[in-house]
Amino acid sequence: MSEQQRLDPTEEHFHIEGPLPGLRLFLRRLQATRVPRARAFPVLYVHGATFPSGLSVAYRFAGRSWRDALCDAGFNVWTLDFYGFGGSDRYPELDEAADHHSPLCIASDAAEQLNAGVRFILEHEGVERVSVISHSWGSMPAGIVASTHPTLIERWALFAPIGRRGPRRYEQPPKLPAWRLVSLDDQWARFIEDVPPNEAPVLSRREFEPWGEAYLDSDPESRMRNPPAVKVPLGPFSDILRAWHGVLPYDPARVEATIAILRGAWDGLLPDDESRALFDSFSPASNKRDVKIGRGTHLMHLETMRHALWRESVAFLLDDDAVPPP
């Protein structure tokens, strides 16, 4: 496990035992900058398939991050990196040929890691529940924890989640290797592929380049490759393909937390019909919302409309727009 840069002078770092013997998980914690409200449970951010929390909720553009907005609203904010990402230990299989093993960090494995992180946070904070923000594939391990341990999760904001598509007759999802390499060109393509023609970019090259350098820094061996690239587990991609073949690794109907789906209007991975079906599948939730924000793609938290996303997440977690009782 490499020493991780502190993204804020007051940030706390923790290395905890995870579910795999000898492998530790990395968590960051940033204290709220104002006195929290009574309902301001600690917030845990769950990252997606290709980059860790330090490059998402905690990454600062022009000196400000999503995490800062949450702290300013009165939340203690935690992040966890899954095995193979950021500051957490690497699977030993990442040092072997990719085709020698099945995909690493599938949702069921990641859920055990997340459960370990949640219980550490609860003990450290002295509370009984946390609120969760998940991005993309992160909704899958978060969903497993929320459905199997429903009393641990207070509110759950699903940002750009992966939905379930109908089974494909006579077709099974392809089998993937253990890991893959993701270059800066691969990441840049994700920021531009869903932007409609003739629309202004949602992220400038000037903003992307320092983020890209930080992305390469997340893997100590990235610059030894040609082109430079980060090695990432392929379990998340395997889970996404399975969901698109009809199999979601958790049951939304067993989730008791208050739910919000936050998405960009240009998110090519979550069309309106899938978002609506996912929203409806959270049947126990009596207070839930589906928020679509204009000019946002699957990576809206790093794009031009990120501040709108941040505001919606804070309003949901504080329940500022709830109808008061009569």
Side-chain angles (χ1 to χ4, degrees):
M1 180 182 295
S2 61
E3 184 67 23
Q4 291 296 296
Q5 175 187 5
R6 293 190 185 278
L7 304 178
D8 185 278
T10 64
E11 178 181 88
E12 298 176 82
H13 289 183
F14 301 89
H15 302 279
I16 70 171
E17 295 300 321
L20 295 182
L23 297 185
R24 294 187 298 165
L25 296 166
F26 174 65
L27 296 95
R28 302 178 190 265
R29 178 184 184 273
L30 194 62
Q31 179 79 25
T33 54
R34 55 177 286 185
V35 177
R37 301 188 188 183
R39 292 183 55 83
F41 288 94
V43 174
L44 170 60
Y45 181 86
V46 184
H47 68 73
T50 64
F51 51 90
S53 302
L55 289 162
S56 48
V57 71
Y59 186 83
R60 285 172 169 158
F61 287 96
R64 187 162 176 81
S65 70
W66 190 356
R67 183 174 66 165
D68 293 327
L70 292 164
C71 287
D72 288 349
F75 296 100
N76 297 337
V77 181
W78 291 77
T79 69
L80 177 144
D81 291 343
F82 291 111
Y83 291 141
F85 293 89
S88 289
D89 284 340
R90 267 45 181 173
Y91 293 94
E93 294 87 346
L94 287 173
D95 293 328
E96 302 178 28
D99 58 2
H100 286 185
H101 299 279
S102 56
L104 296 168
C105 201
I106 60 173
S108 57
D109 174 18
E112 293 183 5
Q113 301 170 46
L114 184 58
N115 185 46
V118 167
R119 294 184 184 278
F120 178 84
I121 293 167
L122 295 178
E123 181 176 358
H124 188 279
E125 296 278 355
V127 295
E128 296 181 351
R129 289 172 289 175
V130 299
S131 290
V132 171
I133 298 174
S134 61
H135 175 225
S136 186
W137 163 83
S139 64
M140 295 185 179
I144 294 174
V145 173
S147 59
T148 56
H149 305 285
T151 61
L152 300 183
I153 310 300
E154 169 69 9
R155 302 175 78 80
W156 178 19
L158 295 86
F159 162 49
I162 301 299
R164 176 185 177 276
R165 299 180 182 177
R168 302 184 184 184
R169 192 176 184 184
Y170 306 124
E171 182 180 340
Q172 296 296 318
K175 294 183 178 181
L176 301 179
W179 53 265
R180 65 167 288 198
L181 296 176
V182 178
S183 69
L184 294 186
D185 284 345
D186 294 329
Q187 290 289 15
W188 176 248
R190 300 179 68 211
F191 284 101
I192 63 174
E193 61 188 357
D194 289 331
V195 179
N198 303 319
E199 292 284 354
V202 294
L203 182 72
S204 69
R205 270 288 184 179
R206 178 180 55 82
E207 292 177 311
F208 174 79
E209 288 174 0
W211 183 93
E213 291 302 309
Y215 181 61
L216 294 179
D217 290 342
S218 71
D219 180 351
E221 299 180 355
S222 65
R223 292 180 176 84
M224 301 177 188
R225 304 178 182 115
N226 187 20
V230 173
K231 185 181 291 187
V232 299
L234 269 179
F237 290 93
S238 177
D239 292 328
I240 292 170
L241 290 175
R242 284 176 57 82
W244 290 347
H245 284 75
V247 180
L248 201 63
Y250 69 97
D251 182 2
R254 295 179 59 193
V255 174
E256 298 178 7
T258 302
I259 295 295
I261 295 176
L262 309 176
R263 58 197 176 104
W266 296 339
D267 189 342
L269 301 187
L270 187 67
D272 287 345
D273 58 341
E274 288 181 26
S275 181
R276 173 52 58 180
L278 182 62
F279 179 85
D280 291 342
S281 67
F282 287 105
S283 52
S286 58
N287 178 11
K288 57 184 178 179
R289 63 204 72 180
D290 182 4
V291 179
K292 183 166 69 171
I293 299 172
R295 291 192 52 78
T297 79
H298 197 67
L299 302 174
M300 181 170 48
H301 56 327
L302 304 179
E303 300 173 351
T304 303
M305 295 301 293
R306 57 186 176 268
H307 300 97
L309 171 65
W310 302 353
R311 287 192 296 270
E312 292 291 345
S313 69
V314 167
F316 166 68
L317 293 171
L318 291 176
D319 205 18
D320 280 351
D321 55 353
V323 176

